[in-house]
Amino acid sequence: MGLEAQRRLLAARVAVVGAGGLGSPTLSYLAAAGVGHLTIIDDDVVDTTNLQRQVIHRAEDVGRPKVESAASFVAALNPDVSVTVRQERITPDTAEDLLAGHDVILDGADNFPTRYAVSDAATALGIPVVWAAVLRFDAQLSTFVPGRPGAVGLRDLFPLPPRPEDVPSCAEAGVLGALVGQVGSIMAAEVVKLVCGFGEPLVDRVLLVDALTQRTREVPLRPVGDLGPPPAHEPVRELVPLPERSVEDVRDALGGAGAPLLLDVREPGEHALGIVPGALTVPVGEVLTWEQLDLLPERPVVVYCKTGPRARRAAAHLVRLGHPDVSVMTGGMLAWIERVEPSLPAY
């Protein structure tokens, strides 16, 4: 790389949004490479379920703010790297203040509102963004460099945000931990290339990674304006207000007169760990394909998943199909395990 590239690294200021799955490998390699200053931005705390993929955190860090755990990791790996931590969620109102003064932004966030806020602020500030998203066995990566003729950004890749209930999180849908490490390493390499000025960054193209086949492919990315007006989209439906029932209420109703039908919309691997007695097990993806209610008996339905998001999606679909009595079990299977059946394994 040469002395000049090392000097550029030492002088660089990189903001890492998210100290989770993608932030873990990127912080590791950026600190090891000798990036002079890292700003770590995250509002979350370490949870036991994070440790499968967020490898800079340890079991003893559970309950600790992720930014503090990440800063300790960086200091232990390379004490010459200065670190600033900001334990807060980026919003459109705070993004520019948090990101100003950096040379590159690495977006490892796990939700679209934060990603759009980062992208819009980076465009306004003229700062390159290395972006990636992972879920289950798939990943997408790109590098956005504003200020160039025909520059593209996140809003060219996703002009309209999806509905929140249509975007499962890694905690809900799962992610292969090794894939996160693979993708984070590529992101770190992108940052190093941008800072040092060599190679060909992932600009104007999206890299798609399929961990199941270990194949990659690229998709060219162009400004939305160059492609004409965006296609018409179905109007966003309002979220259906759904009643909820506590796990204690569901427990007391089991076996009694007028007992509801329990619908478990988790995946088969989760069902194998245990279900609420008598529940009908149908993954949420299958429920969302139903076009009529013939598969359900005419009685109240209580839907549950691990914690709630998938259950709300399925329940809302049943309501849209015309079911008159649908509710969601508050807290999902984890609440049932904690308060009703602790002999089952929590996961």
Side-chain angles (χ1 to χ4, degrees):
M1 290 175 59
L3 185 58
E4 179 60 28
Q6 293 290 345
R7 286 173 174 163
R8 289 187 178 188
L9 283 174
L10 183 62
R13 296 178 58 86
V14 178
V16 178
V17 180
L22 293 173
S24 291
T26 53
L27 286 167
S28 300
Y29 283 108
L30 293 178
V35 170
H37 181 86
L38 295 170
T39 298
I40 307 171
I41 307 170
D42 196 306
D43 68 333
D44 202 3
V45 299
V46 180
D47 184 80
T48 302
T49 59
N50 301 149
L51 304 181
Q52 163 259 2
R53 63 193 180 277
Q54 301 180 17
V55 295
I56 63 174
H57 308 299
R58 299 290 180 263
E60 58 267 26
D61 293 319
V62 170
R64 187 182 183 192
K66 287 183 180 178
V67 290
E68 294 182 7
S69 175
S72 297
F73 177 90
V74 170
L77 178 62
N78 188 347
D80 293 330
V81 177
S82 64
V83 178
T84 299
V85 298
R86 302 297 296 267
Q87 189 184 358
E88 57 184 290
R89 180 178 289 253
I90 289 181
T91 68
D93 294 331
T94 63
E96 289 193 30
D97 289 339
L98 289 171
L99 299 174
H102 293 91
D103 301 298
V104 182
I105 301 164
L106 193 147
D107 182 359
D110 62 356
N111 64 88
F112 269 89
T114 297
R115 292 185 181 280
Y116 281 122
V118 169
S119 178
D120 293 344
T123 299
L125 296 168
I127 303 173
V129 177
V130 177
W131 169 92
V134 292
L135 191 68
R136 293 180 177 169
F137 302 99
D138 299 291
Q140 306 171 16
L141 304 92
S142 191
T143 294
F144 308 128
V145 180
R148 305 174 302 107
V152 294
L154 183 64
R155 291 189 182 274
D156 296 293
L157 182 58
F158 296 107
L160 296 175
R163 296 179 303 169
E165 71 272 26
D166 290 336
V167 186
S169 66
C170 288
E172 179 188 355
V175 63
L176 181 65
L179 172 63
V180 175
Q182 178 183 353
V183 173
S185 297
I186 297 174
M187 297 178 76
E190 287 292 291
V191 172
V192 171
K193 288 190 296 182
L194 289 170
V195 169
C196 297
F198 64 78
E200 183 182 354
L202 274 169
V203 176
D204 299 335
R205 52 201 172 108
V206 181
L207 178 65
L208 306 178
V209 180
D210 179 350
L212 284 179
T213 63
Q214 206 51 260
R215 291 189 173 95
T216 62
R217 62 188 180 96
E218 288 185 5
V219 176
L221 182 59
R222 298 289 181 266
V224 170
D226 292 352
L227 304 176
H233 286 262
E234 176 186 354
V236 176
R237 296 189 293 260
E238 294 295 327
L239 292 181
V240 179
L242 297 166
E244 297 191 359
R245 299 182 69 168
S246 69
V247 293
E248 291 84 2
D249 182 32
V250 172
R251 175 200 61 199
D252 296 343
L254 293 178
L261 169 71
L262 297 179
L263 180 60
D264 184 330
V265 296
R266 297 175 298 155
E267 297 299 313
E270 296 174 279
H271 297 152
L273 298 173
I275 65 173
V276 176
L280 175 65
T281 57
V282 185
V284 63
E286 184 175 338
V287 173
L288 295 178
T289 66
W290 290 354
E291 298 181 356
Q292 52 190 358
L293 296 170
D294 295 350
L295 297 175
L296 295 178
E298 294 184 1
R299 60 197 243 219
V301 175
V302 178
V303 190
Y304 72 90
C305 60
K306 180 180 180 180
T307 58
R310 286 174 286 178
R312 284 190 285 272
R313 293 170 64 202
H317 183 67
L318 297 182
V319 171
R320 284 192 287 267
L321 291 179
H323 198 289
D325 192 347
V326 183
S327 58
V328 173
M329 187 170 78
T330 309
M333 192 64 191
L334 290 188
W336 179 271
I337 293 170
E338 179 184 358
R339 287 150 46 193
V340 177
E341 203 167 352
S343 61
L344 293 175
Y347 66 100

